[in-house]
Amino acid sequence: MSEPCFRPGLRLALGPRAVEREGQVGRSRRGVPRFVVGSEDDEQDLGQMEVGMKNEMFREEDMEDDEDESPPERQIVVGICAMMKKSKSKPMTQILERLCKFDYINVVIFPEEVILEEPVENWPLCDCLISFHSKGFPLDKAVEYAKLRNPLLINDLNMQYFIQDRREVYRILQEEGIDLPRYAVLNRDPDNPEECNLVECEDHVEVNGEVFPKPFVEKPVCAEDHNVYIYYPTSAGGGSQRLFRKIGSRSSVYSPESSVRKTGSYIYEEFMPTDGTDVKVYTVGPDYAHAEARKSPALDGKVERDSEGKEIRYPVMLTAMEKLVARKVCLAFKQTVCGFDLLRANGHSFVCDVNGFSFVKNSMKYYDDCAKVLGNMVMRELAPQFHIPWSIPMEAEDIPIVPTTSGTMMELRCVIAIIRHGDRTPKQKMKMEVRHPLFFELFEKYGGYKSGKLKLKKPKQLQEVLDIARLLLVELGQHNDCEIEEKKSKLEQLKTVLEMYGHFSGINRKVQLTYLRNGQPKASSEEEDSKKDGPSLLLVLKWGGELTPAGRVQAEELGRAFRCMYPGGQGDYAGFPGCGLLRLHSTYRHDLKIYASDEGRVQMTAAAFAKGLLALEGELTPILVQMVKSANMNGLLDSDSDSLTDCQQKVKARLHEIMQKDQEFTEDDYQKLTPTGSPSLVNSMKVIQNPVATCDKVYALIQSLNSQIRKRLEDPKSADLQLYHSETLELMLQRWSKLERDFRMKNGRYDISKIPDIYDCIKYDSQHNASLGLEDTLELFRLSRALADIVIPQEYGITKAEKLDIAQAYCVPLMKKIQLDLQRTHEDEAVNKLHPLYSRGVMSPGRHVRTRLYFTSESHVHSLLSVFRYGGLLDVRSRFQSLSLVCI
């Protein structure tokens, strides 16, 4: 800690009676202000303040000198009444040192033992009192002293009782019309904690009739209790983040516990997505507010500290509306020096906590400003009373700094990336018609009759489906006819899939029920005869498509590599490069927004990428909830429906026609299938040569694969064999058997739409289940990839016109958003921006980079590439100096 440098002649008097010893009102020679500090026992603190001088310097010699001079002018005494840890802190010392430079101000620090042990009648006298509550401080005695001596109060004392109760804080904020998160108060009787208006459900709580979906925040009503919990929804992984007063390098920890606390009174409030940043505002009077941003303690719980062990914070600029909020908070709580917390979310600013008296740490500019504002305030109020000649100095306004680029140098202003999700498990589906009353009861229970359709994906709902499946399997156990066996097979699969992993977490399985008034239509007259009358439900079970552990690692690695694109990030990313981006982000010169579609694999990819990009630690759930915005509005990253456009239907029909030819591709086929001349398509057609012959080979390889898996299942050694990501050999066989059934249709033709699924499965097994040693998997991979390289991209259009037509159905909202992102690059938005006047150690405080990351699925990536390739958007006459779009 740097030592304060006192002016020559600065006078220090020790002991509680120092002021009274020299005339009750602290008179001294003009120009020689006096800094009266605490007791003689505080040797360590006094040493830091350069007062380890001999007391003789301040005794008879000075007194004799004073007698020979003209009568001293009246001095204003400012008393500091707080616990010694606060009154001797570095910020307080720095500010008081500057305050003493006012010609007519002396400062008295009340000794802690006097505050705690002496009656208020024995406390030092003062004209102005700076007093504030902290742990162990006797606020009642301070109020009593203020009534006795009636000094000018910098911070109102009675209001400090309210600041200790979060309920009162929120009430006052609401009365003043200050925006705060939606909240409800749960008051519990300590003797009967069960009797309260709280209903806890799996993904929400109901407090006094008001519903708070997860994520929500649970705060103790006592402001001194810093054990604030954030509860996450099951869709993001569940659990909770537990915040606490900083201990070493941690300020929070993730817990798998999802249930709220059952004792104590709490405020429940809506969670505000702040992109991982908190803003702390410090007022000094209603017209001055300094703001600093820090990494949110709820993000990964790691506290970033500087070389002195202080939490790293950076000064940021407040908007005009936020400055008005600061003024309102200062006046409403009657606290001249006041700190409060701002949450910037969804384009608005919300106050979530008022801390009362607090100073900025490690900002010399703030220390100067604070002392100047306080000194002027004291002089303005008290100088007329004491007939002290003084007027407020007039100073020019700070000139706003507007950073610009000039000359031939170009500066990075905006980064936009569209990123597909990472490695996933194969997507799978199973359909069955059900008529049992238990399924109809479930359908009615969750409101399925309103729309005729129902999606079940919450753990409680899936557990109910599993219970029904188990019950029906017991009932059907005694029957052996063919129809019953088929039902048993599908119910077994339903049961097996729902029992995977031993728990329902994340969004990796779902059941859809569709009401069929007259049952499911039958394909043949034989089936028509056996068809049962009456309504039924079509049950569709979907599973798979989850981000694998390997996918998480891929996303995190990509995030680490991605930051090397930014200034100062060059070099091999395997070490710890990309410090340019980390520095840019941590100093609030980086406006980052991450959007993801509603699919679980996409959201977890985005969270893992953010973890690598920003060098975060810990679980993905807190990162997902804080950093990743769900973008299911207007089809930005999600397709509005599963239905295909007319153009897509025509393209698929033509693609099927070409791929059903049992002959080698002709020149005419090349023209029909690759009118754009894509090299990857041409190469794949050369590998395939004859599409039907290649499909025959693929089908035979799938049959061989199924035969090998069945043999493994018969081997007792393979009974408990666990495959990658908790899959079993039975599930693997079901996966490949279904592809074998569906790929070759009853008429002998091949269903080309199954090629992507075949490629998906063999790629997954080649990568993750290679240890099984199955034969010919590489050949199946080679052929299916060649087929998929034609079918997948060409499903999004064969000609340029078709590609653009289909792309418009997918990515017009995303294109408009990207255009808006580029246009807003030079606009001043309400984001966290470094304040250039208060920043220290930042070479280019005016730099500001905007990053927008969009995580989506393959359909949007294909469509977007079509628009960029064939839409004529990348024109050299573009008004943007440089545009480099990344699609990954």
Side-chain angles (χ1 to χ4, degrees):
M1 183 169 69
S2 60
E3 296 178 344
C5 182
F6 284 82
R7 294 183 303 156
L10 182 66
R11 312 193 72 189
L12 299 164
L14 307 179
R17 293 294 183 183
V19 182
E20 295 183 81
R21 267 204 318 263
E22 292 195 12
Q24 296 293 327
V25 292
R27 299 177 183 274
S28 73
R29 189 173 56 226
R30 183 179 178 182
V32 188
R34 301 175 359 145
F35 192 179
V36 184
V37 296
S39 69
E40 297 171 12
D41 297 328
D42 302 311
E43 292 178 8
Q44 184 177 358
D45 291 323
L46 294 176
Q48 291 174 344
M49 297 171 62
E50 290 191 351
V51 296
M53 313 175 208
K54 292 182 179 179
N55 289 342
E56 285 79 358
M57 292 175 62
F58 307 107
R59 291 191 178 168
E60 283 81 3
E61 297 170 20
D62 286 339
M63 298 287 287
E64 290 170 5
D65 290 341
D66 288 348
E67 289 174 4
D68 297 335
E69 296 189 9
S70 57
E73 291 172 320
R74 175 69 159 91
Q75 293 289 298
I76 295 173
V77 179
V78 176
I80 311 299
C81 179
M83 301 302 281
M84 196 58 68
K85 183 180 178 182
K86 301 291 184 181
S87 59
K88 295 288 189 67
S89 67
K90 180 182 176 181
M92 181 69 87
T93 302
Q94 293 278 358
I95 290 164
L96 295 183
E97 176 192 335
R98 289 160 172 78
L99 194 60
C100 281
K101 292 180 181 178
F102 279 78
D103 288 342
Y104 297 94
I105 290 179
N106 286 338
V107 174
V108 179
I109 296 179
F110 291 19
E112 186 172 298
E113 65 272 17
V114 170
I115 295 171
L116 296 176
E117 298 169 12
E118 294 281 341
V120 296
E121 289 80 9
N122 294 345
W123 288 13
L125 300 177
C126 66
D127 305 304
C128 171
L129 182 66
I130 298 177
S131 181
F132 52 93
H133 177 267
S134 62
K135 188 176 181 180
F137 181 77
L139 185 57
D140 293 345
K141 290 179 75 175
V143 170
E144 187 184 346
Y145 174 83
K147 286 180 181 176
L148 178 68
R149 303 299 185 191
N150 196 29
L152 169 69
L153 293 178
I154 295 297
N155 278 33
D156 186 271
L157 293 169
N158 286 308
M159 288 299 292
Q160 292 182 34
Y161 289 109
F162 293 118
I163 291 174
Q164 295 175 53
D165 189 327
R166 288 191 173 100
R167 292 168 294 195
E168 293 299 319
V169 169
Y170 275 36
R171 178 185 62 79
I172 294 168
L173 289 171
Q174 209 162 27
E175 287 175 358
E176 294 297 322
I178 296 168
D179 286 342
L180 65 162
R182 183 175 66 89
Y183 77 98
V185 177
L186 180 72
N187 290 311
R188 274 196 181 99
D189 181 349
D191 297 326
N192 296 295
E194 306 85 19
E195 295 179 10
C196 59
N197 293 321
L198 173 73
V199 179
E200 183 176 12
C201 300
E202 186 175 53
D203 264 342
H204 72 270
V205 290
E206 189 177 320
V207 183
N208 303 328
E210 189 152 1
V211 176
F212 292 88
K214 292 180 181 179
F216 60 76
V217 184
E218 180 187 62
K219 295 179 177 178
V221 294
C222 174
E224 298 297 304
D225 188 343
H226 297 273
N227 294 293
V228 175
Y229 291 2
I230 301 169
Y231 295 91
Y232 300 124
T234 53
S235 61
S240 55
Q241 194 77 8
R242 305 191 166 192
L243 282 63
F244 42 78
R245 189 178 279 281
K246 291 185 284 287
I247 301 173
S249 63
R250 298 217 64 83
S251 58
S252 73
V253 65
Y254 177 77
S255 166
E257 180 57 58
S258 293
S259 298
V260 300
R261 287 172 276 191
K262 300 300 187 290
T263 57
S265 297
Y266 300 96
I267 288 177
Y268 289 89
E269 69 180 51
E270 186 179 8
F271 176 82
M272 310 303 291
T274 61
D275 300 316
T277 299
D278 285 356
V279 178
K280 301 191 91 57
V281 182
Y282 302 86
T283 70
V284 187
D287 301 316
Y288 178 93
H290 175 94
E292 290 191 341
R294 64 168 184 177
K295 185 174 75 174
S296 169
L299 189 56
D300 64 353
K302 184 183 178 185
V303 180
E304 305 291 345
R305 296 187 181 276
D306 60 18
S307 57
E308 294 183 3
K310 300 290 185 183
E311 183 181 23
I312 294 176
R313 298 177 179 178
Y314 286 92
V316 293
M317 292 182 282
L318 293 172
T319 65
M321 188 60 70
E322 288 169 341
K323 290 175 183 175
L324 183 60
V325 168
R327 179 182 180 83
K328 283 184 174 182
V329 169
C330 178
L331 294 173
F333 290 89
K334 301 178 184 177
Q335 305 292 296
T336 299
V337 179
C338 187
F340 65 92
D341 295 350
L342 263 187
L343 300 176
R344 287 171 166 173
N346 305 321
H348 297 281
S349 297
F350 304 86
V351 177
C352 67
D353 201 6
V354 177
N355 311 118
F357 193 99
S358 45
F359 281 141
V360 176
K361 301 171 181 66
N362 298 322
S363 173
M364 295 301 159
K365 179 79 168 67
Y366 169 81
Y367 298 152
D368 292 342
D369 292 346
C370 185
K372 189 186 298 181
V373 172
L374 286 176
N376 288 338
M377 187 181 297
V378 171
M379 294 302 293
R380 183 175 64 244
E381 293 294 329
L382 298 181
Q385 294 181 30
F386 299 154
H387 307 291
I388 297 172
W390 181 84
S391 59
I392 300 175
M394 300 299 293
E395 295 184 12
E397 290 287 327
D398 292 326
I399 300 170
I401 293 178
V402 181
T404 58
T405 56
S406 59
T408 57
M409 291 290 289
M410 289 197 297
E411 185 171 339
L412 178 66
R413 300 305 301 268
C414 187
V415 176
I416 298 173
I418 294 85
I419 304 170
R420 183 181 181 257
H421 57 75
D423 178 64
R424 61 166 171 77
T425 60
K427 289 194 288 185
Q428 298 179 76
K429 185 193 296 185
M430 185 271 289
K431 294 181 181 180
M432 63 183 295
E433 188 179 14
V434 295
R435 296 174 181 271
H436 197 280
L438 288 174
F439 282 112
F440 282 99
E441 287 174 18
L442 189 67
F443 192 70
E444 184 179 12
K445 179 179 178 180
Y446 292 106
Y449 286 109
K450 291 178 183 176
S451 62
K453 294 181 179 179
L454 179 65
K455 281 186 182 179
L456 304 171
K457 53 198 295 189
K458 293 183 178 179
K460 183 183 176 185
Q461 296 171 334
L462 294 177
Q463 183 64 53
E464 289 182 65
V465 176
L466 176 58
D467 291 343
I468 294 172
R470 286 170 174 167
L471 181 67
L472 293 183
L473 281 168
V474 173
E475 287 183 6
L476 296 173
Q478 309 302 319
H479 303 282
N480 294 314
D481 62 77
C482 294
E483 188 181 348
I484 295 294
E485 282 301 317
E486 186 181 350
K487 283 185 179 178
K488 280 172 67 175
S489 173
K490 293 203 170 185
L491 283 170
E492 282 286 0
Q493 188 171 8
L494 177 65
K495 174 176 172 287
T496 303
V497 171
L498 292 178
E499 287 177 342
M500 283 167 63
Y501 317 122
H503 59 86
F504 297 109
S505 66
I507 34 182
N508 47 30
R509 284 160 288 186
K510 63 182 174 184
V511 172
Q512 292 174 269
L513 292 171
T514 305
Y515 182 75
L516 303 175
R517 186 181 298 277
N518 300 310
Q520 193 169 12
K522 301 302 178 181
S524 65
S525 58
E526 185 180 330
E527 288 178 331
E528 189 70 36
D529 294 337
S530 62
K531 175 183 166 184
K532 293 182 180 178
D533 294 327
S536 66
L537 293 171
L538 177 64
L539 185 150
V540 180
L541 171 67
K542 293 183 178 180
W543 73 100
E546 307 161 56
L547 190 70
T548 64
R552 293 188 183 198
V553 172
Q554 288 171 358
E556 204 171 322
E557 283 290 314
L558 183 61
R560 276 197 282 270
F562 195 84
R563 66 176 183 239
C564 296
M565 294 193 310
Y566 292 78
Q570 292 73 26
D572 175 23
Y573 70 90
F576 200 81
C579 291
L581 178 274
L582 295 177
R583 175 79 171 147
L584 196 71
H585 190 78
S586 67
T587 53
Y588 300 94
R589 294 172 295 158
H590 183 219
D591 174 17
L592 171 67
K593 293 282 189 300
I594 301 174
Y595 298 90
S597 69
D598 268 355
E599 292 176 316
R601 56 182 171 274
V602 178
Q603 295 209 339
M604 297 311 288
T605 297
F609 185 94
K611 183 178 179 180
L613 180 72
L614 302 177
L616 300 173
E617 296 181 357
E619 300 291 325
L620 291 186
T621 296
I623 299 170
L624 170 62
V625 173
Q626 295 233 34
M627 297 295 298
V628 181
K629 298 179 182 299
S630 178
N632 59 341
M633 65 293 278
N634 302 322
L636 184 65
L637 296 171
D638 291 285
S639 300
D640 285 337
S641 68
D642 296 329
S643 58
L644 302 176
T645 64
D646 291 340
C647 184
Q648 272 181 295
Q649 297 279 19
K650 291 175 184 176
V651 166
K652 281 200 169 190
R654 198 157 83 255
L655 189 60
H656 278 239
E657 181 190 338
I658 297 170
M659 297 297 288
Q660 295 292 353
K661 288 186 178 180
D662 191 6
Q663 63 181 44
E664 291 196 4
F665 286 126
T666 63
E667 194 63 38
D668 186 46
D669 291 328
Y670 276 90
Q671 288 296 322
K672 285 181 179 178
L673 207 51
T674 62
T676 60
S678 167
S680 64
L681 286 170
V682 171
N683 291 336
S684 294
M685 289 180 74
K686 288 178 180 177
V687 171
I688 292 167
Q689 296 181 341
N690 182 322
V692 172
T694 302
C695 286
D696 285 338
K697 290 178 187 175
V698 168
Y699 184 70
L701 289 168
I702 293 174
Q703 286 181 311
S704 169
L705 190 65
N706 278 323
S707 176
Q708 293 178 65
I709 298 171
R710 287 189 185 96
K711 285 181 182 177
R712 286 295 180 91
L713 274 169
E714 292 167 4
D715 185 353
K717 295 179 182 177
S718 304
D720 298 321
L721 186 64
Q722 282 286 313
L723 305 183
Y724 185 72
H725 209 54
S726 301
E727 192 179 32
T728 62
L729 273 173
E730 287 91 343
L731 286 173
M732 185 183 187
L733 180 61
Q734 287 174 8
R735 175 156 53 89
W736 280 107
S737 296
K738 187 174 188 302
L739 285 173
E740 183 182 335
R741 288 194 306 271
D742 295 346
F743 184 44
R744 190 169 185 172
M745 297 180 287
K746 291 179 181 179
N747 59 10
R749 291 166 66 102
Y750 289 103
D751 185 353
I752 304 302
S753 67
K754 298 300 175 187
I755 286 174
D757 295 335
I758 295 169
Y759 173 59
D760 201 21
C761 281
I762 193 59
K763 182 176 68 171
Y764 178 82
D765 287 329
S766 298
Q767 184 178 355
H768 299 299
N769 293 321
S771 59
L772 284 174
L774 300 172
E775 295 175 3
D776 298 324
T777 52
L778 290 180
E779 179 64 7
L780 179 55
F781 174 78
R782 184 183 73 87
L783 294 175
S784 63
R785 182 174 65 176
L787 289 167
D789 283 348
I790 293 175
V791 172
I792 294 173
Q794 297 307 74
E795 282 183 343
Y796 297 94
I798 296 174
T799 66
K800 290 181 181 180
E802 288 168 346
K803 288 180 184 293
L804 287 173
D805 192 324
I806 292 169
Q808 285 181 26
Y810 283 97
C811 67
V812 166
L814 180 57
M815 284 301 306
K816 288 180 177 178
K817 181 70 170 64
I818 292 171
Q819 185 182 28
L820 199 63
D821 290 335
L822 292 169
Q823 289 171 344
R824 286 184 172 174
T825 297
H826 298 283
E827 294 178 12
D828 187 21
E829 286 191 280
V831 295
N832 297 317
K833 285 191 175 181
L834 185 70
H835 200 306
L837 299 181
Y838 290 83
S839 58
R840 296 185 305 145
V842 180
M843 292 180 65
S844 52
R847 171 178 287 160
H848 196 75
V849 178
R850 182 189 183 96
T851 297
R852 294 292 181 267
L853 305 176
Y854 298 95
F855 290 82
T856 184
S857 53
E858 195 172 34
S859 59
H860 274 69
V861 174
H862 278 296
S863 302
L864 202 64
L865 286 172
S866 294
V867 171
F868 281 117
R869 281 174 179 155
Y870 311 117
L873 294 180
L874 299 182
D875 185 22
V876 292
R877 295 168 296 175
S878 171
R879 61 185 286 265
F880 304 109
Q881 289 177 308
S882 176
L883 172 63
S884 179
L885 189 94
V886 182
C887 290
I888 302 174

